Amino acid sequence: RVFSFALDQSCAEAAAQRPAMTFYAISDVHVERKENMRWLVDLPRFEQSAVLVAGDLGVSLHQLEQALRLFREKFDYVFYCYGNHETWAKVHIQADQQIANYDDSWEKLAALRGLCARLGVITTPTLVEGVWVVPVLGWYHMDWDQEPPLQAPPGQQLEREPIPADQLATDTHACKWGQLTNGSRELAQRLDEENEAWGIWPLPEALVRNVQLPEGQRRLPVITFSHFLPRAELMPEKRFLFQPNLPKIVGSEFVQKRVAELKPDLHVFGHTHFPWDMTLDDGVRYRSWPLGTPEEQARRIAAVPTEQAERWYPLPVFDSDGNHYRSSPSCWFSLMYTRIQREPESCHMAPFVAHAYCKNAPTVPDTIISPHGSLESATEEERLRRERYSAKSSASMTREVRRGQ
């Protein structure tokens, strides 16, 4: 099977109008879940294509090799950066026991770098059909989160405290970083240096000359991608999160500095498992398209029961003609910020957050957060699709709310 973004055109029209290269985004494929490995096996071949795999592809190098080989079969170019799951190095994690072969996470990263080189997976800045693609490596640090904690209404207190960030992160006990502490600025700074170890920096001279041109005079577009977030605005505020301390383990100012140096047309990221599409005050369009867990997939499909949401192919985001691609209604959290302002000090919560932490808190209506979930299905096919996934979606929501209790 072959997939083309121009499926609604005749073959002749598609061939005439198709750009030389289309760039696709995907992250958080997590092939340690059998359902997700099956998703990858079943993907069609994508014509004239480059895919940006923005981390958390799998856990063991055995899984990663399988997954990267499959991506190489389905796309002409495969760009990749690692996430946090790839660095897990303790054998008691429920994953392929091959992770026991590595004394620590540093040794495993070195082996992963060698694997990518052997498979022809691109991990350095590369010019493809007139578009620069640049991976940015990094790690989160807890002091990156500068927004206030979840706010109870005046005169009230939270009924329970959110789970601390270090307990949320499996990395705390699954990674082995020697004397460095997970979530610390020191570890994030040391992992920022992996950009030099992997040969990403120093940047190629031709790329540097291109990004130094005045605004509007740049000759070649630039796409960057990372696993971790460069900006706080790229995830929901704490009042919309099952786990309000999640922002402490998602972002890095070191990643932000490297992205800002490159001034890209587009930045692709992963890690949060929230589909996202937003242009910020720096003029950069930021996009995330995570596959996520089967439970998260069910919640997305129940909310937006389209064919696109169910099959969740890697998303076309840019092409060699310099075109950005349209957004998706599945990016409901970023779309929410077209209806309300970001107010991290507000005590108005999503209903599921209020239920878990402060039942008397004022709530933000579901029609603001995810209007599609409140609408009647547009077609009978979509109604049946929503019905198929609703039970799994509801059970998943219940588990998330109870997790913090």
Side-chain angles (χ1 to χ4, degrees):
R1 292 180 301 142
V2 176
F3 175 76
S4 167
F5 71 92
L7 289 176
D8 59 341
Q9 296 175 299
S10 70
C11 293
E13 289 174 328
Q17 297 181 26
R18 185 182 302 127
M21 187 62 56
T22 301
F23 296 86
Y24 295 80
I26 191 70
S27 71
D28 302 281
V29 176
H30 291 291
V31 294
E32 66 268 22
R33 298 293 298 265
K34 292 180 180 179
E35 303 96 323
N36 289 9
M37 181 65 87
R38 172 52 54 189
W39 169 89
L40 181 52
V41 168
D42 290 343
L43 275 186
R45 177 81 172 83
F46 288 70
E47 296 182 318
Q48 296 167 239
S49 62
V51 65
L52 282 59
V53 183
D56 274 10
L57 178 56
V59 175
S60 77
L61 260 66
H62 173 67
Q63 295 166 348
L64 292 166
E65 179 169 357
Q66 284 183 287
L68 290 170
R69 286 186 182 278
L70 285 165
F71 273 117
R72 289 283 286 124
E73 290 174 8
K74 296 167 189 301
F75 292 86
D76 297 315
Y77 297 87
V78 177
F79 288 86
Y80 169 72
C81 71
Y82 62 81
N84 48 311
H85 281 228
E86 287 92 334
T87 67
W88 290 1
K90 287 195 175 180
V91 71
H92 65 273
I93 297 301
Q94 292 181 353
D96 191 311
Q97 297 298 298
Q98 191 189 38
I99 60 176
N101 294 344
Y102 303 97
D103 291 334
D104 58 28
S105 297
W106 304 112
E107 184 181 2
K108 191 179 179 190
L109 279 181
L112 177 58
R113 185 166 72 246
L115 173 65
C116 291
R118 179 161 55 85
L119 296 181
V121 171
I122 306 171
T123 59
T124 55
T126 303
L127 185 64
V128 177
E129 295 291 346
V131 178
W132 280 104
V133 181
V134 186
V136 179
L137 306 179
W139 198 261
Y140 55 83
H141 49 101
M142 293 190 188
D143 63 357
W144 176 80
D145 173 31
Q146 295 296 305
E147 295 187 338
L150 182 65
Q151 301 291 296
Q156 299 187 43
Q157 293 183 334
L158 299 180
E159 296 166 18
R160 62 182 57 85
E161 289 300 316
I163 296 174
D166 61 342
Q167 294 179 29
L168 282 178
T170 304
D171 314 322
T172 302
H173 60 268
C175 299
K176 294 193 284 187
W177 300 118
Q179 298 302 309
L180 294 171
T181 301
N182 190 63
S184 68
R185 174 173 287 268
E186 291 74 21
L187 177 60
Q189 185 167 15
R190 171 60 185 85
L191 280 161
D192 176 66
E193 296 170 5
E194 289 295 296
N195 286 288
E196 282 75 25
W198 285 62
I200 303 169
W201 266 263
L203 299 169
E205 284 298 320
L207 173 58
V208 172
R209 289 195 300 271
N210 185 59
V211 300
Q212 287 179 342
L213 290 170
E215 186 175 356
Q217 296 183 29
R218 180 181 288 179
R219 295 186 180 90
L220 302 172
V222 176
I223 303 173
T224 55
F225 71 104
S226 63
H227 184 64
F228 300 102
L229 278 59
R231 295 282 297 265
E233 301 94 327
L234 300 178
M235 74 172 302
E237 302 147 78
K238 297 176 177 71
R239 60 196 180 109
F240 295 108
L241 296 174
F242 288 120
Q243 299 298 336
N245 282 323
L246 185 62
K248 295 186 179 301
I249 54 173
V250 300
S252 168
E253 70 176 47
F254 302 103
V255 172
Q256 180 177 355
K257 287 177 180 177
R258 292 190 186 263
V259 173
E261 177 184 347
L262 287 157
K263 298 175 284 189
D265 299 84
L266 171 68
H267 182 80
V268 171
F269 64 95
H271 192 54
T272 65
H273 291 210
F274 297 127
W276 206 267
D277 186 358
M278 183 178 284
T279 301
L280 297 181
D281 54 7
D282 57 3
V284 178
R285 188 172 180 181
Y286 293 90
R287 305 194 70 170
S288 186
W289 194 249
L291 179 61
T293 67
E295 294 77 20
E296 290 165 335
Q297 294 163 35
R299 296 204 299 265
R300 289 197 307 252
I301 299 166
V304 185
T306 62
E307 181 183 2
Q308 182 197 46
E310 185 171 38
R311 69 183 185 183
W312 208 261
Y313 284 175
L315 187 71
V317 290
F318 202 77
D319 67 31
S320 53
D321 292 338
N323 298 311
H324 288 273
Y325 282 60
R326 66 185 180 183
S327 188
S328 165
S330 293
C331 299
W332 65 73
F333 262 139
S334 54
L335 285 169
M336 178 183 72
Y337 287 108
T338 66
R339 296 183 283 271
I340 62 172
Q341 296 294 312
R342 190 176 187 90
E343 296 180 286
E345 71 286 349
S346 173
C347 64
H348 289 70
M349 305 176 187
F352 56 84
V353 178
H355 179 78
Y357 296 100
C358 189
K359 292 182 175 61
N360 292 326
T363 58
V364 179
D366 287 332
T367 52
I368 295 294
I369 299 171
S370 177
H372 281 82
S374 306
L375 298 176
E376 291 292 327
S377 302
T379 66
E380 178 65 8
E381 181 183 10
E382 290 189 358
R383 186 191 68 79
L384 293 172
R385 185 178 289 120
R386 173 174 278 161
E387 190 175 274
R388 284 199 305 274
Y389 288 93
S390 288
K392 189 173 184 178
S393 172
S394 297
S396 173
M397 290 281 287
T398 300
R399 282 194 301 272
E400 290 288 353
V401 170
R402 289 176 176 171
R403 185 181 174 193
Q405 297 178 1

